């Protein structure tokens, strides 16, 4: 960088070369520095991309695990029974109901499978189980629907990025 920054006439004089040769030398040095900087940035981008792929794999494995391992709540939906202990017939577990009642933004605390269960629940049954009015229960279902849609969009985006990156990796 010092050789690039020095005045061309001084460099030519020190090297006992013409100013044209000094300019060629400075241009070559600048190109080498630019190439190094470009390689450094490319390496940083690749590291970020690899980290994103690892995060995607982690998220996808969690989503796949939650989809392939049906929980107790799914059995309750299938059999039509409920272990909630509430007067309303609901497929939601005590844990989900507690989160819905106690958390200020329960849709952010529940996993995707639990969000789906909340969405499947009838608004009237949900409001009875939570002892809320219908309007509040409906707003909760809408918030859960938005959150689930956002999560699904993220997974689709990650799938899209993965398929695009796989296409670019093949020769």
């Amino acid at each position: 960088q010092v050789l690039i920054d020095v005045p061309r006439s001084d460099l030519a004089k020190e090297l006992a070369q013409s100013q044209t040769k000094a300019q060629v030398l400075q241009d070559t040095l600048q190109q080498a520095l630019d190439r190094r900087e470009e390689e450094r940035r490319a390496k940083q981008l690749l590291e970020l991309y690899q980290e994103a792929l690892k995060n995607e794999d982690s998220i996808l494995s969690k989503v796949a695990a939650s989809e392939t391992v049906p929980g107790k709540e799914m059995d309750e939906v299938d059999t039509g029974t409920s272990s909630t202990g509430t007067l309303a017939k609901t497929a939601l577990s005590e844990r989900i109901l507690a989160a819905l009642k106690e958390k200020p933004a329960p849709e952010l605390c529940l996993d995707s499978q639990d969000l789906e269960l909340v969405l499947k629940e009838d608004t009237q049954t949900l409001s009875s189980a939570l002892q809320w009015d219908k309007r509040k229960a409906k707003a909760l279902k809408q918030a859960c629907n938005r959150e689930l849609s956002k999560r699904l969009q993220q997974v689709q985006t990650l799938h899209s990025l993965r398929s695009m990156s796989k296409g670019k990796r093949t020769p």
Side-chain angles (χ1 to χ4, degrees):
Q1 185 64 50
V2 172
L3 291 174
I4 293 169
D5 293 338
V6 74
R8 189 176 314 126
S9 59
D10 292 349
L11 182 62
K13 188 171 152 183
E14 280 296 317
L15 296 175
Q17 298 289 329
S18 69
Q19 283 194 11
T20 307
K21 287 188 178 185
Q23 181 179 359
V24 169
L25 175 64
Q26 285 179 324
D27 291 345
T28 304
L29 291 171
Q30 185 63 52
Q31 289 171 358
L33 284 177
D34 291 346
R35 189 178 63 250
R36 283 184 187 173
E37 179 64 18
E38 196 174 300
E39 288 170 354
R40 185 188 65 78
R41 287 185 183 179
K43 184 179 176 183
Q44 282 180 330
L45 280 172
L46 284 172
E47 288 170 354
L48 285 171
Y49 184 70
Q50 285 177 328
E51 188 176 322
L53 283 177
K54 287 178 188 175
N55 289 340
E56 174 192 7
D57 288 341
S58 172
I59 290 170
L60 290 176
S61 65
K62 287 178 184 176
V63 168
S66 71
E67 289 175 354
T68 58
V69 180
K72 179 179 156 190
E73 295 86 5
M74 294 300 281
D75 292 339
E76 292 172 355
V77 170
D78 294 341
T79 62
T81 61
S82 174
S83 62
T84 61
T86 61
L87 294 174
K89 290 275 187 187
T90 177
L92 303 177
S93 69
E94 288 290 340
R95 177 187 58 79
I96 296 172
L97 290 172
L100 293 174
K101 285 181 184 178
E102 298 168 6
K103 303 289 183 179
E107 68 276 8
L108 300 177
C109 303
L110 297 174
D111 63 25
S112 297
Q113 187 177 8
D114 292 342
L115 288 174
E116 288 176 353
L117 289 172
V118 172
L119 290 173
K120 287 179 185 176
E121 200 63 55
D122 178 57
T123 305
Q124 176 62 42
T125 307
L126 187 61
S127 66
S128 296
L130 295 171
Q131 299 173 351
W132 290 353
D133 62 26
K134 276 187 177 181
R135 199 176 82 241
K136 190 173 179 181
K138 185 176 181 180
L140 172 71
K141 284 183 70 169
Q142 289 172 342
C144 289
N145 190 29
R146 282 191 304 270
E147 179 63 23
L148 187 60
S149 296
K150 184 176 88 173
R151 291 178 189 180
L152 291 174
Q153 179 63 36
Q154 288 172 340
V155 169
Q156 289 171 345
T157 302
L158 290 172
H159 280 297
S160 176
L161 283 172
R162 173 178 269 173
S163 65
M164 285 175 31
S165 69
K166 283 183 180 176
K168 290 182 180 181
R169 283 189 224 156
T170 56

